[in-house]
Amino acid sequence: MARDGHVVPVDPQTTLTVKKKKQSSRNWILLDCTGQGTVLDADKYQIMHRVQIHARDLRILDPLLSYPSTILGRERAIVLNLEHIKAIITAEEVFLRDPTDEHVIPVVEELQRRLPPSNAVQLHVQGDGKANQGPQHDGEAEEDDSPFEFRALEVALEAICSYLAARTTELETAAYPALDELTAKISSRNLDRVRKLKSAMTRLTARVQKVRDELEQLLNDDDDMADLYLSRKMNSSSPVSGSGPAIWFPASPTIGSKISRASRASMATVRGDEDDIEELEMLLEAYFMQIDGTLNKLTTLREYIDDTEDYINIQLDNHRNQLIQLELFLSSGTVCLSVYSLVGAIFGMNIPYTWNENHEYMFKWVVIVSGVACALMFVAIIYYARLKGLVGS
């Protein structure tokens, strides 16, 4: 193991309780088919030599570089980059980067729980000393009778779908009350709060969309799905031994029926059933539907935000129309008062008029006529504004 880097065996319980510390990019955790975890302090060349992948594939898992969500099938490995889950899956092992990350620790726990094959002997000894193996174990074996790489891939997909669904639920919990509060009262604080939530929703939607697009691309390409059958390719390239089952089914003298079923599945694989991708297709479709449901929730939230924005714009337009109406009334009043100012200016000028002498009633008639003219002018302006739809009826 010297060529594979410095290997430090650790207790799984100790590994999962360690808090996140400052780590180098060389930190990996290796999980074998029995669920045992080992921390590897290996550089990229040692990892490339061990799993036999190219540097460009390993570069996808570099946390310092930004790559979209990717699931790549190679000759002897699956390169997995899904958000914080950056892993290399082989037919017998799983390499996971940054095992002490707070988001990666639950993935390691789940891998250690589900990677051991379900048809390993688990006898429950009763008080009378007899071994009892209930029918529920057969159901579990049926459920988990799949290649090692598919069990590891399922854990990763389940973890990332659950993580994105949880982030979506948190966003919905914060967004809907904020939008309702903004609808009730338009203020700078509420507007800034909704703006931040909308930015967070846009970023989360892009992340969910990338995962969905990757799963959809895999489902649309049968060759890419066939590349993910690592155990099938390994069995096809090695001679078949009739004395034992496939590598992910350990032998046990107490479960003959399960070994027989596993052996038949292994022999069917070796016979060259290369076009059978139904198992992986069903697995990917299940999580595609789950991630698509998460994306639909985000789409619904976006539509709710757009509807709220439209409602706010309608309210602002209504307030703007009220201000226009007020401005129109003030302008009309100013015009009417300007007529009185004109009358006062004419009579106040120091110019001798012959009709101004001994005709005191003239000023009264001018004021009356000017008032009637102003009133008619005001009514005409209001009627014209209503006719053009500038003010309400």
Side-chain angles (χ1 to χ4, degrees):
M1 296 295 292
R3 64 179 182 179
D4 294 330
H6 183 58
V7 179
V8 183
V10 294
D11 186 4
Q13 297 299 328
T14 304
T15 303
L16 301 178
T17 56
V18 175
K19 293 183 179 180
K20 183 179 179 182
K21 299 179 180 179
K22 187 176 181 180
Q23 310 258 346
S24 65
S25 61
R26 297 162 56 93
N27 199 6
W28 296 75
I29 186 171
L30 168 63
L31 298 169
D32 57 17
C33 58
T34 62
Q36 296 298 321
T38 304
V39 173
L40 295 177
D41 188 16
D43 59 21
K44 62 179 181 180
Y45 299 104
Q46 294 167 335
I47 296 294
M48 289 165 50
H49 177 75
R50 180 158 183 165
V51 299
Q52 298 184 9
I53 60 175
H54 295 289
R56 64 177 180 270
D57 296 329
L58 191 60
R59 195 178 299 117
I60 296 175
L61 306 181
D62 194 339
L64 301 179
L65 301 177
S66 178
Y67 280 91
S69 298
T70 306
I71 302 176
L72 297 178
R74 294 298 182 247
E75 184 63 27
R76 298 189 179 182
I78 298 174
V79 181
L80 194 69
N81 177 27
L82 296 175
E83 294 288 329
H84 53 271
I85 302 178
K86 302 179 184 298
I88 301 174
I89 303 173
T90 67
E92 300 174 344
E93 298 172 327
V94 177
F95 296 83
L96 199 62
R97 185 183 285 276
D98 297 333
T100 56
D101 185 274
E102 60 180 352
H103 300 304
V104 179
I105 288 178
V107 182
V108 177
E109 291 179 342
E110 190 66 15
L111 285 171
Q112 290 180 330
R113 187 182 70 85
R114 295 173 61 175
L115 284 184
S118 61
N119 56 356
V121 180
Q122 297 178 353
L123 299 180
H124 299 271
V125 181
Q126 303 290 336
D128 55 0
K130 295 182 179 180
N132 181 25
Q133 190 173 11
Q136 65 271 17
H137 300 287
D138 293 334
E140 293 178 358
E142 287 288 349
E143 184 180 353
D144 294 334
D145 278 349
S146 57
F148 172 85
E149 63 271 18
F150 288 175
R151 295 202 300 274
L153 179 62
E154 183 177 5
V155 171
L157 291 175
E158 181 179 351
I160 197 62
C161 290
S162 301
Y163 173 79
L164 294 175
R167 301 289 81 76
T168 301
T169 302
E170 292 177 0
L171 185 61
E172 286 180 329
T173 304
Y176 284 114
L179 292 171
D180 294 338
E181 186 176 352
L182 178 62
T183 302
K185 180 181 179 181
I186 302 175
S187 63
S188 300
R189 175 180 172 274
N190 292 337
L191 286 172
D192 185 67
R193 183 182 175 189
V194 172
R195 179 187 62 82
K196 293 178 180 179
L197 290 172
K198 187 176 181 180
S199 299
M201 184 204 64
T202 302
R203 292 192 297 269
L204 182 59
T205 302
R207 293 160 59 188
V208 174
Q209 185 69 49
K210 289 177 182 178
V211 178
R212 181 189 179 280
D213 291 343
E214 181 62 24
L215 292 179
E216 185 178 17
Q217 182 179 356
L218 272 176
L219 287 170
N220 291 335
D221 196 327
D222 293 347
D223 293 335
D224 288 345
M225 283 191 287
D227 289 338
L228 302 183
Y229 281 81
L230 304 180
S231 300
R232 174 185 295 174
K233 291 186 289 186
M234 184 178 64
N235 291 334
S236 300
S237 60
S238 60
V240 183
S241 176
S243 59
I247 190 169
W248 59 86
F249 297 108
S252 174
T254 61
I255 50 173
S257 60
K258 297 173 185 176
I259 291 180
S260 177
R261 181 173 59 252
S263 301
R264 289 196 301 269
S266 176
M267 291 300 297
T269 300
V270 176
R271 285 185 187 128
D273 192 7
E274 299 291 342
D275 297 330
D276 184 14
I277 57 173
E278 181 179 358
E279 182 179 3
L280 178 59
E281 188 174 8
M282 292 175 62
L283 174 65
L284 295 177
E285 281 181 352
Y287 291 102
F288 175 80
M289 296 299 295
Q290 184 174 347
I291 200 69
D292 189 60
T294 302
L295 185 61
N296 289 336
K297 289 183 179 179
L298 291 171
T299 303
T300 303
L301 179 59
R302 175 179 290 276
E303 292 176 354
Y304 192 83
I305 292 177
D306 293 339
D307 293 341
T308 303
E309 290 179 346
D310 293 340
Y311 177 75
I312 292 174
N313 290 331
I314 292 173
Q315 282 188 324
L316 294 177
D317 290 340
N318 184 39
H319 292 316
R320 191 179 299 110
N321 290 337
Q322 291 178 355
L323 291 176
I324 292 174
Q325 183 178 2
L326 177 60
E327 183 182 3
L328 181 60
F329 277 106
L330 293 176
S331 300
S332 302
T334 303
V335 172
C336 296
L337 292 177
S338 64
V339 176
Y340 283 98
S341 300
L342 177 63
V343 174
I346 293 175
F347 280 91
M349 291 184 352
N350 192 14
I351 299 176
Y353 293 105
T354 57
W355 50 266
N356 197 20
E357 297 177 357
N358 300 322
H359 296 86
E360 294 83 1
Y361 61 89
M362 182 62 67
F363 179 77
K364 297 180 181 179
W365 281 106
V366 171
V367 171
I368 293 173
V369 172
S370 300
V372 173
C374 290
L376 293 176
M377 185 182 302
F378 182 78
V379 171
I381 292 174
I382 297 301
Y383 177 77
Y384 179 79
R386 290 181 178 178
L387 188 63
K388 295 297 183 181
L390 297 178
V391 296
S393 56

